[in-house]
Amino acid sequence: MKMAHSSMVVALFVLATTASAFGDVAVWYSAVGNNPQSGVEAGAGPLQRLNLTCDTSAAAACSWVVTMNTNIQGGLTGYGTNLFTSPGNGVAAAGAANVAGATGNPFPGALPGVGGTGASLLTGSAGFTFAAPGTGNLQLITFTLTRNMNAGDLSVASISASHGDGDWGNADPAFSDAFGFDRAVRYGPSTALNGSAFDDNGNLRVGDAAVIQITGVPEPTSLTLLGLAALVIGRRRR
Amino acid sequence: MRKTSIVLAAGIVASLSTIASAQSNYFFDIRNTVGAINTPALPFSSTPGQGLAWTGGPSWPNDGLAGGGKGNGQILRICPPLSNGAHNTVAGSSFGNSWPNIDADNDCSTGDLFLYADVGADDAGTNGVISSIGLDIAIGAPSTRYVIASSAWTWTLTDATTPVNFGFAAGTPQGPGGQLGVSGIKYVKVPVSGASTYATAGGLIQNTFTQLGRLRVTAAPRNATGAATGCAQVTGANPHANQSTYNVSMNVNNLLITRTYSTVTTPASVDEIVSFGYTGGAPDVTTNGSTSGPAPGVRDAVIQVRLKVDFNGDGRATAADVPAMSAATGVAGASTSQSTRYLGDLNGVVGAPAAAPITAADIPAATALVNAMLGGGLCP
């Protein structure tokens, strides 16, 4: 486990170095739990996946306020993103809102998107600007993410991102970028996507790795009991 | 009735005169008057001759600064309507007011290619006059991207002179609704007066440069060919705009193009030698007006169906077009090409000819257009 963790850190470092070289736009998600059973694992940032935990012993659904973040060195004239997940997995999004007041946010009139479930978990988050393009880290939108789970359900729900209606426009075509008029975009740990919303066949471009993952976990009491049981077994063996 | 008139008039032409060799050029231009071509104004420069010769590929529609003489207005740009009607409501005014808007119909999805005849004197005879024009106009096969919904021909040549031994036909559409052009365009007018006395005023055109008519084309809505093709976003070496560009070509039809004389001095030269369009500042290669069929040379005009603001030509107006729109804003008229003016002028307010045609006043409409695309999914 420790070995795997080290490998992941190295891999992330390599990805971060590559992203910097190509000036890719990084998109990542951060979250705050709305109740005790809604956990957030530390460490989510550029080129990373946000890992959430849901204590399935609780009566209420797990719930988080999730923020969509970008790092747009080189400037950005617009964006568009949808989120999707597997249907029927108990995950829903609602209450999307622009972070219009965020420092440096150049998209005050953006569309926050519409929440839902399954393939339409969050659709239509998009904005653009003719004003001076933004740079640096931005918070674009927030929304409430929920997951309903049955007691003892330890299943994993993955959420992925695709482009939405809007292009991830390049503020400066002379800026070193793989796709000219459009920025190269990385959703979480995904490889870079052309920032033009649709491909030649009219399909939205899709990130190739999950950006958010929600994992069901046993309640703390069960964990304690399991720990005690292990302790007892260990003592008996001695 | 019309057909009868044409046949009758053609018969009179044949019986009255001898057809001799000559030279006349027939070309399209988006400018609607002879004066506009003879005294070009921006975005046409005062340089005569077509600025860019077409040798293949997409270079012509994405022109630089063209000259202003004959043959410099051979590129017509029209916009595909948005399926949600946003093109007519952006910023409170329609895109129809924007350049070129020469047809003044307040709708950028329609546009005209005006046909001109530039007829030179011919020493093969005296009192020579063009007496019949028979043309077919072909538009390249439809693409799966933005398409032309229809085209129609209208003669603008007047028949005020008498006697009126003339007949004309507006032709019939080639393909559904004329999206492939119009064939069978015919006009004949006999240079006679009274009891069959030869009179040049009775003919069609005598040694002059004049407008003959117009080909009006209308773009289909951008979702006409479906989401996966028409509304798709195509980048790369052959982007959406190139795939929404159509060649226009003319050829002589079975009415033929002929010149008649009161007296023939060189009987051996019986045919009108014609050329269609300009290339590289000179009339295209010639063909025989007495022979119907495909004409040699390059295309005679180009029609491009392209969204306003779509500077990168990918088929959508998006944030990716912002830098080019911004770069074009405030640039003087003399440095703004036809294509840039088409893409960036959304309000039609250009001020003096030398003034910047694209200004901050165009940004609200551009913003509204991009917003309309943002909220409309793939196919607004």
Side-chain angles (χ1 to χ4, degrees):
Chain A
M1 185 65 184
K2 226 175 193 178
M3 187 68 172
H5 182 73
S6 303
S7 300
M8 190 181 290
V9 169
V10 170
L12 286 173
F13 175 77
V14 170
L15 278 173
T17 305
T18 307
S20 177
F22 285 97
D24 299 350
V25 173
V27 181
W28 73 96
Y29 294 83
S30 55
V32 175
N34 283 330
N35 48 35
Q37 66 268 28
S38 305
V40 180
E41 291 191 358
L47 309 180
Q48 290 183 308
R49 185 182 66 204
L50 171 62
N51 292 310
L52 305 175
T53 58
C54 179
D55 179 355
T56 59
S57 67
C62 295
S63 172
W64 303 263
V65 172
V66 178
T67 301
M68 176 183 175
N69 308 276
T70 64
N71 182 321
I72 53 174
Q73 74 275 22
L76 186 71
T77 56
Y79 69 95
T81 297
N82 295 338
L83 292 177
F84 63 93
T85 188
S86 301
N89 64 1
V91 176
N98 290 323
V99 191
T103 303
N105 188 331
F107 311 111
L111 304 171
V114 178
T117 60
S120 302
L121 184 62
L122 183 65
T123 56
S125 304
F128 91 106
T129 182
F130 270 107
T135 58
N137 286 356
L138 287 182
Q139 295 180 335
L140 292 176
I141 60 168
T142 61
F143 59 94
T144 299
L145 185 68
T146 57
R147 186 177 190 195
N148 289 308
M149 299 182 78
N150 297 319
D153 184 356
L154 305 183
S155 65
V156 175
S158 293
I159 298 169
S160 298
S162 73
H163 288 335
D165 288 353
D167 273 19
W168 291 78
N170 196 346
D172 178 7
F175 182 74
S176 176
D177 193 285
F179 300 112
F181 289 103
D182 295 284
R183 299 298 309 270
V185 181
R186 289 171 180 258
Y187 290 111
S190 295
T191 53
L193 284 179
N194 185 328
S196 66
F198 299 93
D199 64 20
D200 292 5
N201 297 315
N203 301 312
L204 290 167
R205 299 179 197 275
V206 181
D208 58 8
V211 292
I212 302 173
Q213 192 164 281
I214 306 172
T215 304
V217 294
E219 72 279 24
T221 311
S222 299
L223 280 176
T224 306
L225 288 173
L226 282 171
L228 286 172
L231 200 61
V232 169
I233 290 168
R235 280 187 176 174
R236 278 184 181 172
R237 280 184 179 170
R238 271 186 241 159
Chain B
M1 181 66 179
R2 236 177 226 169
K3 192 174 177 184
T4 309
S5 300
I6 291 170
V7 172
L8 177 65
I12 295 170
V13 169
S15 63
L16 278 178
S17 58
T18 302
I19 301 171
S21 68
Q23 180 68 47
S24 52
N25 182 43
Y26 302 84
F27 68 94
F28 282 117
D29 201 296
I30 64 170
R31 290 168 286 185
N32 63 344
T33 64
V34 166
I37 297 172
N38 283 338
T39 310
L42 292 170
F44 299 91
S45 77
S46 58
T47 307
Q50 184 180 304
L52 297 171
W54 181 72
T55 55
S59 61
W60 194 5
N62 299 315
D63 63 336
L65 285 171
K70 297 167 183 172
N72 284 131
Q74 295 178 147
I75 308 168
L76 174 65
R77 295 177 174 84
I78 52 177
C79 69
L82 272 62
S83 60
N84 61 7
H87 61 290
N88 281 324
T89 58
V90 165
S93 65
S94 146
F95 290 159
N97 292 323
S98 59
W99 193 85
N101 191 34
I102 292 170
D103 57 10
D105 68 349
N106 204 34
D107 181 356
C108 71
S109 67
T110 67
D112 293 329
L113 280 169
F114 295 92
L115 181 66
Y116 292 89
D118 195 8
V119 180
D122 181 17
D123 58 7
T126 56
N127 298 319
V129 60
I130 298 294
S131 53
S132 72
I133 298 173
L135 289 172
D136 293 338
I137 301 172
I139 299 174
S143 154
T144 55
R145 306 304 180 186
Y146 295 153
V147 295
I148 294 167
S150 64
S151 65
W153 173 259
T154 302
W155 287 100
T156 56
L157 200 60
T158 60
D159 294 291
T161 55
T162 57
V164 285
N165 294 319
F166 72 93
F168 60 87
T172 53
Q174 294 189 36
Q179 66 184 29
L180 299 177
V182 182
S183 62
I185 296 167
K186 297 178 178 179
Y187 207 134
V188 62
K189 197 171 181 202
V190 183
V192 295
S193 67
S196 300
T197 302
Y198 190 95
T200 55
L204 275 176
I205 312 159
Q206 184 186 25
N207 305 344
T208 190
F209 169 35
T210 190
Q211 186 184 102
L212 298 179
R214 67 166 184 263
L215 180 71
R216 175 158 293 183
V217 293
T218 303
R222 63 181 298 272
N223 62 348
T225 53
T229 53
C231 296
Q233 191 168 16
V234 184
T235 57
N238 188 27
H240 198 292
N242 287 357
Q243 298 180 46
S244 305
T245 300
Y246 301 88
N247 295 339
V248 181
S249 57
M250 291 178 278
N251 66 264
V252 178
N253 68 23
N254 59 8
L255 183 65
L256 310 181
I257 297 178
T258 60
R259 186 183 305 228
T260 61
Y261 304 86
S262 58
T263 305
V264 174
T265 54
T266 312
S269 302
V270 295
D271 298 323
E272 175 75 2
I273 304 303
V274 303
S275 62
F276 295 118
Y278 279 80
T279 181
D284 201 357
V285 295
T286 58
T287 188
N288 191 324
S290 299
T291 305
S292 62
V298 301
R299 57 187 174 183
D300 305 320
V302 167
I303 300 169
Q304 186 173 71
V305 186
R306 185 164 179 172
L307 268 179
K308 291 280 190 177
V309 186
D310 181 18
F311 279 88
N312 66 1
D314 67 0
R316 290 171 62 84
T318 72
D321 300 302
V322 166
M325 178 83 183
S326 299
T329 302
V331 176
S335 300
T336 303
S337 68
Q338 293 179 49
S339 56
T340 298
R341 187 177 293 234
Y342 169 79
L343 293 167
D345 172 28
L346 301 183
N347 63 5
V349 178
V350 296
I358 303 166
T359 68
D362 293 300
I363 299 298
T367 301
L369 178 60
V370 177
N371 275 334
M373 303 290 289
L374 286 185
L378 175 61
C379 265

